[in-house]
Amino acid sequence: MRTGTSTTRASARTNTVAQYPAARAERAALARVIDKSFTAASLPLLGLPPQWSVLHHWSASLHDRPGHPAVRSVKAMERTSTSGSSRSDLILFLSISFIGAWITMIPLWVEGLRRTSAAQGTPRLAALCMILMMLVPALTAFGLTARGRGPRQAVRVLGLARATPWRHEVRSVAVALTIPLGLTAAGLTVAALVGWYTPAHLPGPATVAPLVLSALLSVPLYFGEELGWQGYLLPRLLRYGRTRGLLIGGAIWGAWHVPMTALGGSYPGHSVLLGIPVAVVTAMLLGTVIATVRLSTGSVWAAVAAHLSLNEFTLPLTREVSGRLVDPLLAGPLSISTWPVTALAVLGSWLAYRRRAGRDQPLPAVEGRLTASR
């Protein structure tokens, strides 16, 4: 009698395990349908473009194909994060980058320059110092990498060389360009509802054309930052876990901007005691979005596009569309009114990652837990 019972239980357990892959696939398909429906309904409410959903579902499909170049690129980053020398390299990179940022700002401190109003333009000296500051992370990353691997390998490892097919790179860049625009549009909607922003008109070709030209000329500068942050720093922060690594990276990015923020760079007319904490929180949120673009697409070029869109399009368009002077603390991509929207985007990407990680969990581990529970 006991033998028959044991046989029956073993047979039932075998059938359960045999049916598990089909059940898992069924649940995954249902989850994707629900997610698409929820995303389609929620994106318009948040003011986010449909491309945000495209990026999420497209990246999810890529991660289901282990041989895809984007996935191989991220795997290479993970291998870098587990290297024995990464911690000392990380400390050295951060030390040089932070010291270099302060050194490039010395002429402005000596000159006594400080932005006291959003109406104040950027003097040539300030523009030159900012250009030099943006190049510091890339030069530091390239020097440290080339020291151990040589210049050619440094170009490939940091992501300056194209790591994925052209079609994938172009699509990644196109999607990444729209993300800051969507987040900013949603944030401006929030600011307008509370009376912090007054839109006056839509930008025309005469407004957009100079911005496009400026963006094209500025591409090397944004590589200057992102080769350091996304090509060198991010892989080494992944050793602390994806979520923690992204948040730490964003906080580091915000702290690195302190020499400029202290001069009223991002929030002119406001106290340093207010501007610096706000800048760090903003950088944590936006930096996490840019790093997520990097991990989702496997492309540093896409991260550069997102950063470029943030500075070269969303900031000036916020001013151009308004009917009055805009306070960057209250309205725009770096404002507190954009925090809730960006936080929702970060939360959504985190939930998508957690769900995908759970779906990709090996069957033997799940089966082992089921057996142990009996």
Side-chain angles (χ1 to χ4, degrees):
M1 187 70 176
R2 288 181 180 177
T3 302
T5 303
S6 300
T7 303
T8 302
R9 289 179 179 175
S11 176
R13 188 159 53 245
T14 301
N15 290 336
T16 301
V17 173
Q19 293 170 1
Y20 183 79
R24 184 176 65 176
E26 207 172 295
R27 286 196 300 271
L30 178 61
R32 283 194 292 271
V33 171
I34 294 174
D35 179 67
K36 287 182 180 180
S37 301
F38 171 77
T39 305
S42 62
L43 285 178
L45 295 177
L46 297 177
L48 299 178
Q51 287 86 345
W52 182 268
S53 176
V54 171
L55 176 66
H56 162 60
H57 294 296
W58 178 43
S59 65
S61 66
L62 290 180
H63 285 272
D64 289 336
R65 293 149 55 190
H68 194 278
V71 180
R72 291 202 302 268
S73 176
V74 175
K75 293 297 182 184
M77 294 174 64
E78 292 173 349
R79 287 194 296 271
T80 301
S81 73
T82 58
S83 63
S85 61
S86 60
R87 181 168 296 178
S88 60
D89 289 347
L90 174 61
I91 294 174
L92 185 58
F93 168 78
L94 292 177
S95 300
I96 298 175
S97 296
F98 273 74
I99 293 172
W102 280 96
I103 290 175
T104 58
M105 291 290 115
I106 286 178
L108 302 184
W109 287 92
V110 172
E111 191 78 12
L113 177 67
R114 178 175 173 79
R115 290 189 70 199
T116 57
S117 169
Q120 185 178 352
T122 304
R124 291 185 179 180
L125 179 61
L128 176 60
C129 291
M130 289 167 59
I131 289 173
L132 295 175
M133 182 178 175
M134 292 176 72
L135 294 175
V136 168
L139 295 176
T140 305
F142 186 83
L144 293 176
T145 307
R147 182 187 60 174
R149 305 195 183 195
R152 289 187 178 181
Q153 283 295 314
V155 169
R156 183 184 62 81
V157 169
L158 294 176
L160 183 58
R162 183 171 51 85
T164 56
W166 275 113
R167 184 172 61 180
H168 174 82
E169 294 285 356
V170 171
R171 194 183 307 175
S172 299
V173 167
V175 172
L177 284 170
T178 66
I179 293 173
L181 293 170
L183 294 175
T184 302
L188 291 178
T189 302
V190 174
L193 290 174
V194 298
W196 293 342
Y197 186 74
T198 305
H201 55 82
L202 293 176
T207 300
V208 175
L211 298 182
V212 173
L213 178 60
S214 174
L216 292 174
L217 295 175
S218 301
V219 167
L221 299 180
Y222 293 98
F223 266 109
E225 280 202 49
E226 297 310 327
L227 282 182
W229 306 132
Q230 310 303 334
Y232 191 92
L233 178 63
L234 180 59
R236 286 160 177 80
L237 292 180
L238 290 178
R239 66 185 299 164
Y240 303 107
R242 175 176 167 134
T243 302
R244 191 177 300 157
L246 265 59
L247 292 176
I248 292 174
I252 290 173
W253 191 40
W256 180 80
H257 282 88
V258 165
M260 186 173 61
T261 306
L263 294 171
S266 299
Y267 307 105
H270 293 282
S271 166
V272 174
L273 298 178
L274 174 64
I276 291 178
V278 170
V280 171
V281 173
T282 301
M284 288 182 67
L285 293 171
L286 292 175
T288 300
V289 170
I290 294 174
T292 300
V293 169
R294 163 72 168 116
L295 291 175
S296 298
T297 62
S299 171
V300 172
W301 294 56
V304 169
H307 191 176
L308 182 144
S309 177
L310 178 68
N311 284 9
E312 299 293 327
F313 293 115
T314 61
L315 284 170
L317 286 175
T318 296
R319 296 190 297 266
E320 293 292 337
V321 171
S322 176
R324 59 185 182 183
L325 188 65
V326 180
D327 186 346
L329 179 70
L330 301 178
L334 309 181
S335 70
I336 58 176
S337 59
T338 308
W339 282 3
V341 181
T342 313
L344 283 174
V346 170
L347 177 61
S349 65
W350 179 79
L351 291 174
Y353 166 74
R354 295 291 296 176
R355 191 187 63 199
R356 187 168 61 237
R359 189 174 71 238
D360 293 342
Q361 189 176 29
L363 271 175
V366 179
E367 182 181 347
R369 284 206 305 269
L370 290 173
T371 305
S373 66
R374 288 185 173 86

